[in-house]
Amino acid sequence: MVRRVAVVGAGPSGLTSLKACLDEGLQPTCFESSDDIGGLWNFKEQPEPGRANLYRSVVINSSKEMISFSVHCLVGRFFAQIPLVAQIPLVNDELPGRIISGRVQMKPNVKEFCGSSVVFVDGSVLDKVRSGHRLRLYRHVFPPALPQPTLAVVGFIHALGAINPLAEMQARWATRVFKGLAELPTEEAMLQDIQQDTASMHQSFACSERNPLQVFYLPYMDSLARLIGVRPNVLRLLLTDLRLGLQVLFGPCTPYQFRLSGPGRWAGARQAILTQWERVLRPFRTREAPEVEAGPDRRRRLLVVSAAAALLCCVLACSPSTPR
């Protein structure tokens, strides 16, 4: 019997959830309140009332390789006109003006919290401060109190990294849980994990209503990849495919790495990784430059790099585990 899944919203998180459902043989139905897909990323000349809409001059400043979904390379001279809202850290030309005009008030360090009030070191007090903007979700996806794991929240997360790969990894894990290919811990274990994760999060980040689910990008991606069974085995890659292994170990953590093996393996993942720097540099090659022959110094540097790589492989091969 094919299991049916309702996907609410056709933004990037909803679309990647639809694909994950199809990949696992589930039957998804998408419920979207507008007349088009894309969510916030769908630019409209006339914004609809009550809906967020990016403006024409927004240009994303993230690498297209890092924001890609894991089976779709953005190739050619592609400059994405898509939004990037960076909550942390805040860099904004309007902030100094708002401070000068008094619309933003500067405060010293916090001395203590008293109920819903904040007391600062200068003696001033700010009352009725809202806090606790935190959903109790196991690994930021599953509510722990449901008798059956039939609800998953995908894309409600914040990291210093692209949302697309995060949402895709969440959707891949959630659909495997829906299908019964992956199991969740007990409710007690999930609540304990949430409590530990919340404490760690508040020690590392300034969480607020606008970014209640802050995570470290690479550790979170690796943790979900381990649950799905798609985390790259770096040592094995170095021993069987040295060129690819070096790219995975020392190169950027592009989403294609999580399609090299395991469920949802993509045959084009290796080529996508080996050619990622070509796609990064292509838009900047506006003219042909004459090739320079490799001199003795350049050949010497190549030999040193090759020797260092060989030494690293030997060290990794002798070690019990490979950190990533």
Side-chain angles (χ1 to χ4, degrees):
M1 178 180 177
V2 178
R3 299 186 180 183
R4 297 191 297 174
V5 178
V7 177
V8 181
S13 298
L15 295 177
T16 193
S17 297
L18 289 170
K19 183 183 184 305
C21 287
L22 295 175
D23 289 345
E24 293 295 346
L26 304 174
Q27 183 179 329
T29 300
C30 183
F31 295 86
E32 168 59 40
S33 59
S34 69
D35 59 356
D36 206 347
I37 65 173
L40 172 67
W41 297 48
N42 187 346
F43 172 76
K44 295 183 178 181
E45 290 285 355
Q46 299 295 331
E48 300 177 12
R51 294 183 183 277
N53 191 70
L54 65 134
Y55 44 94
R56 180 177 293 278
S57 60
V58 171
V59 179
I60 196 165
N61 61 359
S62 290
S63 167
K64 63 180 182 292
E65 296 300 314
M66 300 301 294
I67 68 170
S68 294
F69 291 113
S70 61
V71 290
H72 294 285
C73 301
L74 301 178
V75 298
R77 300 190 178 205
F78 181 80
F79 294 91
Q81 302 289 327
I82 43 185
L84 176 67
V85 181
Q87 304 294 339
I88 301 176
L90 175 61
V91 180
N92 194 323
D93 293 338
E94 295 184 5
L95 183 58
R98 296 197 177 197
I99 294 175
I100 294 173
S101 65
R103 297 181 64 184
V104 173
Q105 186 177 3
M106 298 295 293
K107 284 288 188 181
N109 290 334
V110 175
K111 179 182 178 181
E112 61 180 343
F113 293 92
C114 296
S116 61
S117 301
V118 179
V119 180
F120 298 93
V121 293
D122 63 353
S124 60
V125 179
L126 185 62
D127 296 319
K128 297 182 180 179
V129 176
R130 294 186 299 170
S131 61
H133 304 291
R134 166 74 165 160
L135 290 182
R136 295 167 64 85
L137 298 174
Y138 176 63
R139 300 296 172 91
H140 309 289
V141 178
F142 285 101
L146 295 180
Q148 296 294 330
T150 56
L151 174 65
V153 180
V154 174
F156 190 65
I157 197 168
H158 194 283
L160 296 182
I163 183 63
N164 291 352
L166 288 169
E168 181 183 30
M169 195 67 74
Q170 289 179 328
R172 292 175 67 183
W173 177 46
T175 51
R176 292 186 64 79
V177 172
F178 289 161
K179 196 173 180 180
L181 300 176
E183 295 184 356
L184 298 180
T186 63
E187 180 181 349
E188 182 181 357
M190 287 191 285
L191 289 173
Q192 184 177 2
D193 184 271
I194 293 172
Q195 184 177 4
Q196 295 174 351
D197 183 68
T198 301
S200 175
M201 182 179 65
H202 282 284
Q203 288 179 355
S204 304
F205 303 104
C207 299
S208 68
E209 182 179 10
R210 300 187 68 181
N211 33 269
L213 296 178
Q214 188 77 25
V215 297
F216 288 104
Y217 182 84
L218 290 180
Y220 183 72
M221 289 285 285
D222 273 349
S223 68
L224 291 185
R226 190 180 294 107
L227 292 172
I228 302 170
V230 295
R231 186 171 184 263
N233 188 322
V234 180
L235 178 58
R236 181 180 298 173
L237 289 175
L238 289 172
L239 295 176
T240 60
D241 192 335
L242 179 60
R243 184 185 176 195
L244 177 61
L246 292 175
Q247 284 281 350
V248 172
L249 182 61
F250 295 112
C253 184
T254 46
Y256 324 121
Q257 295 186 13
F258 302 107
R259 293 285 182 177
L260 288 171
S261 60
R265 181 181 179 274
W266 176 39
R270 180 182 187 275
Q271 184 65 15
I273 294 172
L274 296 180
T275 57
Q276 59 194 6
W277 284 113
E278 296 177 16
R279 293 190 297 277
V280 170
L281 297 175
R282 187 177 302 171
F284 302 100
R285 293 172 179 165
T286 57
R287 61 184 178 87
E288 292 292 334
E291 295 186 3
V292 179
E293 295 185 2
D297 291 340
R298 187 176 180 185
R299 283 194 287 267
R300 191 178 297 112
R301 288 196 298 269
L302 290 176
L303 288 175
V304 172
V305 172
S306 300
L311 178 61
L312 176 64
C313 292
C314 294
V315 172
L316 292 173
C318 296
S319 62
S321 62
T322 304
R324 185 165 182 264

